[in-house]
Amino acid sequence: MAGAKYNLNHKYKYPQTYNMLLLGIDVGTSSIKVSVVDAQTQDCLASAQYPDEESDIISPKAGWAEQSPEMWWDHVKAAIQKANATGSYNPKDIGAIGIAYQMHGLVVVDKQQQTLRNSIIWCDSRAVEIGNKAFKSIGEEKSLSHLLNSPGNFTASKLAWVKANEPELYYNIDKIMLPGDFVAMKLTGNITTSISALSEGVFWDFQDDQLSSDVLNYYKFDKALIPVINPVFSEHGTVQQEVATELGLTAGIPVTYKSGDQPNNALSLNVLKPGEVAATAGTSGVIYGVSDKLIYDPQSRVNTFAHVNYGEEKRLGVLLCINGTGSLNRWIKNIAGTGMSYAEMNDMAGKISIGSNGLRVLPFGNGAERMLNNEIVGTHFHNIDLNLHSKAHIFRATQEGIAFAFRYGLDIMRESGMNPSIIRAGKANLFLSNTFTEAFVNATHVPVELYQNDGSVGAALGAGIGVKAYKSEEEAFTNSKKLQVIEPKAIEQYEPAYQEWKMLLEKQLKQN
C-alpha cells in the first residue's frame, strides 16, 4: 500500500513581516463567516457571513446528518465577495489564509478532485455501532491508550460506513478529507491534512506517533487515501489563478493554517498551555482544555485530540461536546419565539426566577451524545404546568438545561484531572445571554472570562502564525482584550435544580 507523506519538519520560506492582511474562513454548520485582519494591529477590518439564514442539514434518515461540500465552497466564495464589497481593505493586500471548520466531517473526492457524495457531518450518528465494534476488536485498553478515544462515531468509522454501504463509490475515492481540507483544496488544488485533523478523525496513534495501523488494518483502509500530512501552521498550498481572479485575490498566496473549530476557538482565546480551558456554546456546546499528558476517559465520553500546537511538546486538547446547545435554542425560537430576536428571548428568560419554577429541559436532541456513551437520548421537557409555565419559562429552562449539561460533562472531565479555575469564552452565541452565563458559572462553580473573539478572526491570526508574521503563537493575541469576568454568586440556588435535572437525566438513560 502506498504510504501517506509525513512532513513534521516543514520549513517556512516566509520572512517575518507585518505589512499584510490575513483572511480567516470559518466553515460552520449553519453558515460561513470570513474576516480580514491587519497582521500588525490584529484589528479586524471587515467580516461577512453567508448565508444570512442558517444552512440546512440534510437528514435522509433519523440520526443522519449531511451537507454538500460544494454548498460550503459556494458560500465561502459568496462570503469573501461580500467582505470585499465593504471597501474596508484592498483584497490584493491579503498575504495568507487560515481556515477553521466544523470537526469530524467526512469528505471524499476522486482523482479529479470531484466530490463523490455529501459530507457525513459531525452530528451524524449512523456509524456508532461500527465504531463500537472496532473498539472491542482493536481492544478497549489499546484503543484508549494509543488513539486516546474509541473509534466511536468519528471520521474513520464514517468512512467504514461508506465502505460497507456504498462499495462502488468507496473504490472511486482518491482522498478523504475533513471540511477544512476540502475548502483548502478548492482554493489551492492541493490536498493536505495534519496530525490534529487526523486525530479528530481517530486515525492517529499517539504512542507510536504515526497513522494508526490498528485502525487502518481493522477497517482495511489503504494508506493512499490519507493526504500529505503537514503541521497545522504551515503551507497547505497556494491560491490558484482562476480562484484568485474570481475572488479578487492575488494568485499564489498561501493557506498557512487549518484547524477544527474547537481547537481554533481555543487558539483564538489564547488557550495554548496546559491547564488553560476554553468554552463555546454555538450550534454545539464545548469545553476544551489543554493538557501535556496523553490522558483519556475510560468510557470515551470526553475526547482527546492533538491541539494546534502539538509537536515536540505534546499539547493535547481534551474536548467535551454537547450536540444540542445552540441547535436547541434555535429550535425553541422557531417553535415558541416566532418573530422574536434572541435578545428578546434572553430578556424574557431573565425575568423568570432561578429554577424556572420547576420546569426542566434535557437538551439532547441532535444525534448521539458522546458524553452519554453515544446514546441518542432526545430532548425532553419535564414538569410542565399548563397553568404556570409561559414562553419565558421555556426560554429560561432551555438555557438552564444547557448549562446543566455543561456541568454534567465538566464533572466527567474532572474525573480525568481537568479542574479549571477559570474558563475563557467568547462573548457570542449563548454567552450573549446573561441568564445562560449566570447559569453556566453557578452550575459549574467556575468563573468565566469573556472576550471579544470570533472563529474567523482566530483563523486569520492562525494564518499569521503560519506565515511567520509573529514570533510565537502567544504574540498573535497580544491585543486580545478581556471584556468581563462573571463569578458564581448563586451556587446554592442553582445546585438543587441541577441535582433534580441530573436525576431526570439518569432516569432517562436507564430507560434507553
Side-chain angles (χ1 to χ4, degrees):
M1 295 192 300
K5 297 177 182 177
Y6 178 30
N7 182 16
L8 253 187
N9 298 314
H10 191 280
K11 300 297 183 184
Y12 297 97
K13 64 175 180 268
Y14 309 106
Q16 185 173 320
T17 177
Y18 288 91
N19 57 347
M20 70 165 69
L21 304 183
L22 307 166
L23 171 63
I25 303 169
D26 187 3
V27 183
T29 309
S30 56
S31 67
I32 305 295
K33 187 171 183 183
V34 302
S35 291
V36 176
V37 173
D38 184 303
Q40 182 172 7
T41 65
Q42 301 167 20
D43 290 335
C44 179
L45 304 181
S47 291
Q49 178 177 307
Y50 192 90
D52 293 329
E53 298 296 323
E54 296 176 353
S55 297
D56 290 334
I57 293 176
I58 303 162
S59 186
K61 294 184 180 181
W64 291 22
E66 301 181 354
Q67 286 186 322
S68 164
E70 297 297 337
M71 176 195 74
W72 297 334
W73 176 235
D74 288 341
H75 291 178
V76 165
K77 292 189 292 183
I80 292 172
Q81 289 164 337
K82 191 175 176 182
N84 289 349
T86 65
S88 303
Y89 60 91
N90 182 352
K92 298 292 186 183
D93 291 337
I94 292 171
I97 299 173
I99 302 169
Y101 57 88
Q102 49 172 293
M103 297 173 71
H104 314 304
L106 172 68
V107 181
V108 293
V109 297
D110 62 17
K111 290 184 184 298
Q112 286 72 48
Q113 298 187 353
Q114 299 300 306
T115 53
L116 294 171
R117 68 173 333 281
N118 284 334
S119 173
I120 302 175
I121 65 170
W122 59 278
C123 54
D124 186 286
S125 303
R126 75 187 71 181
V128 168
E129 286 309 311
I130 291 173
N132 289 344
K133 288 177 182 177
F135 190 38
K136 292 176 183 175
S137 295
I138 292 170
E140 295 184 9
E141 199 226 335
K142 189 170 188 185
S143 288
L144 293 171
S145 61
H146 283 253
L147 306 173
L148 307 184
N149 301 287
S150 161
N153 194 35
F154 295 106
T155 315
S157 300
K158 291 169 181 171
L159 180 61
W161 183 93
V162 173
K163 187 171 185 277
N165 292 275
E166 299 172 347
E168 185 174 341
L169 183 151
Y170 175 82
Y171 287 109
N172 283 319
I173 297 173
D174 179 58
K175 290 290 181 286
I176 64 167
M177 290 175 280
L178 286 108
D181 301 328
F182 171 80
V183 171
M185 180 200 78
K186 297 297 281 188
L187 285 164
T188 68
N190 199 36
I191 303 177
T192 71
T193 189
S194 67
I195 291 175
S196 182
L198 290 168
S199 74
E200 72 177 76
V202 190
F203 286 101
W204 194 254
D205 187 317
F206 284 93
Q207 296 288 352
D208 297 339
D209 216 22
Q210 63 180 19
L211 283 167
S212 170
S213 58
D214 290 317
V215 170
L216 296 180
N217 291 338
Y218 174 78
Y219 285 137
K220 295 182 172 56
F221 293 153
D222 192 325
K223 283 184 184 178
L225 295 174
I226 307 296
V228 171
I229 304 169
N230 282 347
V232 169
F233 301 109
S234 69
E235 184 182 300
H236 295 277
T238 58
V239 173
Q240 303 174 88
Q241 181 64 64
E242 181 181 352
V243 174
T245 300
E246 182 178 3
L247 299 179
L249 305 175
T250 302
I253 61 173
V255 174
T256 55
Y257 171 78
K258 289 187 299 180
S259 169
D261 52 8
Q262 299 308 324
N264 178 71
N265 180 64
L267 172 74
S268 69
L269 291 165
N270 200 18
V271 170
L272 294 162
K273 298 174 183 175
E276 295 179 334
V277 177
T280 183
T283 302
S284 63
V286 169
I287 297 178
Y288 185 98
V290 179
S291 176
D292 56 359
K293 297 179 176 61
L294 300 181
I295 62 175
Y296 57 84
D297 173 51
Q299 298 181 52
S300 203
R301 296 165 298 175
V302 298
N303 305 106
T304 304
F305 307 117
H307 194 25
V308 293
N309 56 345
Y310 180 91
E312 290 182 9
E313 289 187 317
K314 303 306 180 192
R315 295 291 180 262
L316 290 305
V318 183
L319 185 151
L320 160 80
C321 181
I322 308 159
N323 291 353
T325 52
S327 56
L328 172 60
N329 207 38
R330 177 185 66 180
W331 185 83
I332 289 295
K333 183 177 186 295
N334 292 339
I335 297 298
T338 305
M340 298 173 62
S341 67
Y342 285 114
E344 289 170 326
M345 290 169 58
N346 295 340
D347 183 60
M348 288 178 66
K351 294 175 181 175
I352 302 299
S353 60
I354 293 169
S356 306
N357 292 105
L359 184 59
R360 302 282 175 261
V361 179
L362 302 180
F364 303 114
N366 193 22
E369 292 284 355
R370 292 200 295 277
M371 79 168 187
L372 303 179
N373 299 106
N374 279 323
E375 291 285 345
I376 299 177
V377 176
T379 296
H380 299 266
F381 293 78
H382 290 271
N383 307 330
I384 295 174
D385 185 325
L386 301 179
N387 298 312
L388 172 63
H389 294 129
S390 64
K391 286 183 181 181
H393 287 90
I394 293 172
F395 298 155
R396 182 177 189 103
T398 295
Q399 295 189 21
E400 288 182 342
I402 294 167
F404 294 158
F406 273 104
R407 159 70 183 276
Y408 188 88
L410 183 57
D411 283 349
I412 295 171
M413 297 180 80
R414 285 169 169 142
E415 292 172 16
S416 299
M418 187 68 64
N419 289 291
S421 59
I422 198 154
I423 294 173
R424 297 177 194 164
K427 193 173 177 64
N429 301 314
L430 278 165
F431 280 107
L432 289 169
S433 167
N434 291 333
T435 298
F436 171 76
T437 307
E438 175 193 274
F440 181 95
V441 300
N442 284 287
T444 61
H445 306 182
V446 182
V448 166
E449 290 180 346
L450 290 179
Y451 291 81
Q452 194 67 52
N453 89 310
D454 177 277
S456 57
V457 172
L461 293 169
I465 297 167
V467 82
K468 289 291 187 180
Y470 308 108
K471 295 176 183 176
S472 66
E473 289 96 342
E474 289 81 5
E475 188 183 63
F477 300 94
T478 51
N479 291 339
S480 179
K481 299 287 191 303
K482 187 191 312 178
L483 299 177
Q484 62 186 121
V485 179
I486 298 90
E487 300 277 355
K489 296 179 180 177
I491 290 173
E492 291 181 359
Q493 293 172 269
Y494 278 92
E495 191 64 20
Y498 170 70
Q499 293 300 334
E500 182 186 346
W501 178 95
K502 181 182 176 183
M503 179 189 68
L504 291 167
L505 173 60
E506 291 174 345
K507 183 178 178 181
Q508 185 65 46
L509 289 171
K510 287 178 182 177
Q511 293 175 2
N512 266 36

